[in-house]
C-alpha cells in the first residue's frame, strides 16, 4: 500500500480555493452535491498544475445547460410530460461528447458532474472531443418497448438543434443501449434529410453494427479497464492471473470486466448489485452468473454462491475492489469497510469526497474513474472515425488501438503523480487539465 501523500495543508488550501471559486460563480456549495464534489476535484488539480485563474473558472462552469420538457403518448392512451437534460461542458478539444441515461433519479447537477468528467476523460485518452452528458427522467424497467421508442424519438427531436456529428455526439449510458441509439439516429436523420446521410450517422455512437456501430463498442468500458489494470497492477505487485477481486455493480461495465478478467485467470470472489450480494471463496463462475442475472434481472438467488449482506460484501478481503455501479456509492462509511489495497473506479465518480478522504487516510489507492472508464469514449471515437471514413475496422484493430490509448493514458497519470506529488485520482485530473490548458494557452480567449 502506498502512504497518503497529499499534505493536509494542500487539502485545506484546496477547499479555500474551491470556496472562492464557488463564490465568484455565485454557487452555494453543498457537500453532498455531485457537481460540487467534482468541482473540488478539478480545483485541487488546477491548483497543483498552476492553471491560470480564468481557466479554472471556465473549467468549473459548463458552457451550456439545456433542459427540455416533452410530451409522450403512453400505451394506456394518456400523455405524460418528461424532463430531459443535455449539459455541454467544454468543447476546446473538439465536439462535445458524452452519453445520455434513462433513470428515475437524475438531476441537473448530476448531469453537470458527468459532463465535466467526460471532458476530462476525452482529454486524458487524447481523443479529439470535449465533454457533455444527458439524461431523461424515467424508469426504463417500467416502460414498454413502444414507450421507450417514443421517449427516445421525442428526446432526440427536442435537442436535435443542439447536437450534430460535428457539434455534440451522444452515446449510451445507464439505462440506454444500442436499440435506443438506433431509434435516436433514425429520428435525427429523418429530421435532417438534407444532411449527408452517411456522415450524419456520426451524430451518435454505440449504434448497432448494422447501422454503423463499431465492433468492440459494447465491451469497450470493460476492455479499457482491463488494459489499465494490466498496465497499473504490476506496480502494486499484483498479477492479474493470480488475483481475486470484488465487483460492485453487475451492469455492462461489471459484466465485461469480470468476464475478461476471468478469461485471464483472475477469480471473482464477491459481487453486489441492487438486488443483493454474493460471495464464494472458490470463485464465482462469471459466465454462469451473467446468464442467471439476465434471466432473473439481478444476481440475487444465484445458486452457486453464498448470499451476504452489503456491508459484508465491502468487508471481504480481496486484492482488488472494482466499482462499476451508479455514482457515489462509496461514501465515508463504505470506504471504512473496504478490505483491499486498491480500488478501481470502473464507473464515473464511484467515490464521494468523504469516501476519498477515508481511503486516503487508510492508504488505499484508487485507480481513477476518468482513466478506468475511458474505454467507452475511446471506442466511440473509433466509431465516429469509421462513420466518417466509411472504412470499418476489424476487432483486432479496435482492440490494438484501444490498448494504445489506455496504456498511454495510464502512463500519463503515473507521470503526473510523480510530477505533482499527489494521489492517482488527482494526478489523472492534472494530466487531463494540463492538455486542455495548453489548448487555451495557444488559442487565447475570443475576442
Ligand atoms: N457513458 C459513456 C461514458 O461515460 C459514454 C461515452 C461516449 O461513448 O461518448 O464514458
Amino acid at each position: 500500500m502506498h502512504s497518503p501523500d497529499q499534505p493536509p495543508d494542500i487539502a485545506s488550501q484546496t477547499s479555500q480555493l474551491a470556496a472562492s471559486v464557488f463564490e465568484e460563480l455565485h454557487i452555494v456549495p453543498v457537500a453532498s452535491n455531485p457537481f460540487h464534489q467534482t468541482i473540488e476535484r478539478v480545483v485541487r488539480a488546477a491548483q497543483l498544475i498552476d492553471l491560470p485563474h480564468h481557466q479554472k473558472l471556465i473549467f468549473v462552469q459548463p458552457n451550456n445547460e439545456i433542459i427540455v420538457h416533452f410530451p409522450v403518448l403512453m400505451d394506456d392512451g394518456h400523455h405524460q410530460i418528461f424532463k430531459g437534460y443535455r449539459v455541454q461542458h467544454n468543447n476546446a478539444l473538439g465536439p462535445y461528447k458524452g452519453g445520455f441515461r434513462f433513470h428515475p433519479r437524475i438531476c441537473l447537477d448530476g448531469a453537470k458532474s458527468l459532463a465535466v468528467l467526460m471532458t476530462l476523460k476525452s482529454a486524458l485518452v487524447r481523443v479529439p472531443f470535449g465533454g457533455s452528458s444527458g439524461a431523461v427522467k424515467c424508469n426504463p424497467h417500467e416502460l414498454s418497448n413502444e414507450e421507450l421508442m417514443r421517449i427516445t424519438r421525442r428526446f432526440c427531436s427536442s435537442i436535435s438543434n443542439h447536437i450534430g456529428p460535428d457539434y455534440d455526439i451522444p452515446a449510451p449510458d445507464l439505462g440506454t443501449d444500442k436499440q435506443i441509439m438506433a431509434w435516436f439516429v433514425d429520428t435525427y436523420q429523418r429530421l435532417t434529410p438534407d444532411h449527408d446521410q452517411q456522415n450524419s450517422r456520426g451524430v451518435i455512437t454505440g449504434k448497432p453494427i448494422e447501422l454503423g456501430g463499431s465492433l468492440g463498442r459494447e465491451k469497450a468500458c470493460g476492455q479499457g479497464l482491463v488494459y489499465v489494470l494490466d498496465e497499473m497492477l504490476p506496480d502494486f505487485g499484483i498479477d492479474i492471473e493470480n488475483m481475486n477481486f470484488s465487483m460492485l455493480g453487475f451492469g455492462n461495465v461489471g459484466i465485461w470486466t469480470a468476464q475478461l478478467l476471468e478469461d485471464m485467470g483472475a477469480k471473482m470472489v464477491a459481487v453486489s448489485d441492487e438486488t443483493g450480494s454474493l460471495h464464494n471463496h472458490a470463485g464465482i463462475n462469471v459466465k454462469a452468473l451473467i446468464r442467471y442475472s439476465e434471466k432473473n434481472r439481478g444476481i440475487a438467488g444465484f445458486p452457486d454462491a453464498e448470499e451476504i449482506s452489503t456491508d459484508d460484501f465491502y468487508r471481504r478481503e480481496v486484492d482488488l475492489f472494482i466499482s462499476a455501479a451508479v455514482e457515489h456509492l462509496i461514501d465515508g462509511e463504505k470506504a471504512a469497510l473496504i478490505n483491499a489495497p486498491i480500488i478501481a473506479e470502473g464507473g464515473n465518480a464511484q467515490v464521494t469526497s468523504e469516501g476519498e478522504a477515508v481511503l486516503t487516510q487508510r492508504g488505499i489507492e484508487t485507480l481513477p474513474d476518468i482513466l478506468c472508464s475511458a474505454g467507452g469514449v475511446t471506442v466511440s471515437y473509433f466509431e465516429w472515425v469509421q462513420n466518417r471514413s466509411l472504412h470499418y475496422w476489424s476487432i483486432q484493430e479496435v482492440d490494438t488501438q484501444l490498448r494504445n490509448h489506455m496504456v498511454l493514458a495510464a502512463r500519463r497519470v503515473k507521470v503526473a503523480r510523480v510530477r505533482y506529488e499527489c494521489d492517482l485520482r488527482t494526478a489523472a485530473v492534472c494530466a487531463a487539465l494540463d492538455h486542455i490548458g495548453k489548448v487555451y494557452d495557444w488559442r487565447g480567449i475570443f475576442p
Side-chain angles (χ1 to χ4, degrees), residues 242-257:
N242 299 313
M243 73 170 185
N244 61 30
F245 64 96
S246 290
M247 178 65 76
L248 176 62
F250 207 59
N252 172 285
V253 183
I255 284 174
W256 277 106
T257 308

Side-chain angles (χ1 to χ4, degrees), residues 97-99 118 121 169-173 205 217 221 348 373 376-377 380:
K97 183 84 189 84
M118 281 310 306
K121 250 188 246 190
I169 306 152
D173 198 82
T205 57
R217 177 61 186 84
C221 288
N348 295 304
S373 73
V377 72
S380 276

Side-chain angles (χ1 to χ4, degrees), residues 191-430:
L191 293 172
T192 54
D194 35 333
H195 287 199
D196 166 353
Q197 293 291 293
Q198 284 293 345
N199 189 39
S200 69
R201 286 177 159 194
V203 69
I204 196 160
T205 57
K207 299 180 291 290
I209 306 289
E210 297 76 7
L211 268 181
S214 176
L215 293 173
R217 177 61 186 84
E218 251 177 308
K219 68 164 182 166
C221 288
Q223 184 69 76
L225 170 55
V226 171
Y227 289 146
V228 169
L229 295 176
D230 207 23
E231 172 66 23
M232 308 280 280
L233 291 182
D235 296 354
F236 300 93
I238 296 176
D239 261 353
I240 291 190
E241 303 81 62
N242 299 313
M243 73 170 185
N244 61 30
F245 64 96
S246 290
M247 178 65 76
L248 176 62
F250 207 59
N252 172 285
V253 183
I255 284 174
W256 277 106
T257 308
Q259 203 168 296
L260 291 164
L261 290 176
E262 183 182 62
D263 291 345
M264 294 168 82
K267 222 165 43 177
M268 182 170 81
V269 293
V271 57
S272 181
D273 74 356
E274 64 282 351
T275 66
S277 302
L278 304 173
H279 173 254
N280 185 343
H281 189 66
I284 297 169
N285 182 324
V286 175
K287 291 181 187 77
L289 184 63
I290 294 172
R291 282 193 298 277
Y292 178 89
S293 79
E294 272 166 9
K295 217 161 108 204
N296 298 280
R297 282 186 155 202
I299 63 170
F302 181 65
D304 297 323
E306 176 200 349
E307 303 239 3
I308 52 173
S309 70
T310 314
D311 280 1
D312 273 349
F313 163 77
Y314 282 94
R315 281 194 200 101
R316 293 288 140 175
E317 189 180 348
V318 280
D319 298 316
L320 175 70
F321 184 100
I322 303 175
S323 186
V326 288
E327 296 81 37
H328 290 158
L329 285 189
I330 306 179
D331 55 14
E333 243 170 68
K334 298 292 186 242
L337 300 177
I338 288 177
N339 198 356
I342 302 167
I343 296 182
E345 280 186 295
N348 295 304
Q350 301 291 289
V351 184
T352 65
S353 305
E354 199 198 353
E356 192 178 354
V358 173
L359 294 174
T360 306
Q361 187 238 332
R362 295 185 60 214
I364 297 176
E365 280 283 352
T366 308
L367 308 183
D369 53 357
I370 60 168
L371 171 63
C372 292
S373 73
V377 72
T378 305
V379 179
S380 276
Y381 165 58
F382 301 160
E383 179 173 333
W384 182 78
V385 168
Q386 292 171 73
N387 291 158
R388 296 174 94 86
S389 65
L390 297 181
H391 167 70
Y392 284 84
W393 305 3
S394 66
I395 185 66
Q396 288 79 7
E397 190 163 0
V398 171
D399 283 347
T400 306
Q401 295 283 348
L402 175 62
R403 180 185 269 278
N404 285 345
H405 278 267
M406 301 309 294
V407 167
L408 288 176
R411 290 183 188 159
R412 268 174 216 123
V413 175
K414 293 195 225 181
V415 169
R417 180 203 171 98
V418 175
R419 180 163 174 204
Y420 300 112
E421 298 180 353
C422 58
D423 59 86
L424 290 168
R425 219 166 177 245
T426 310
V429 181
C430 289

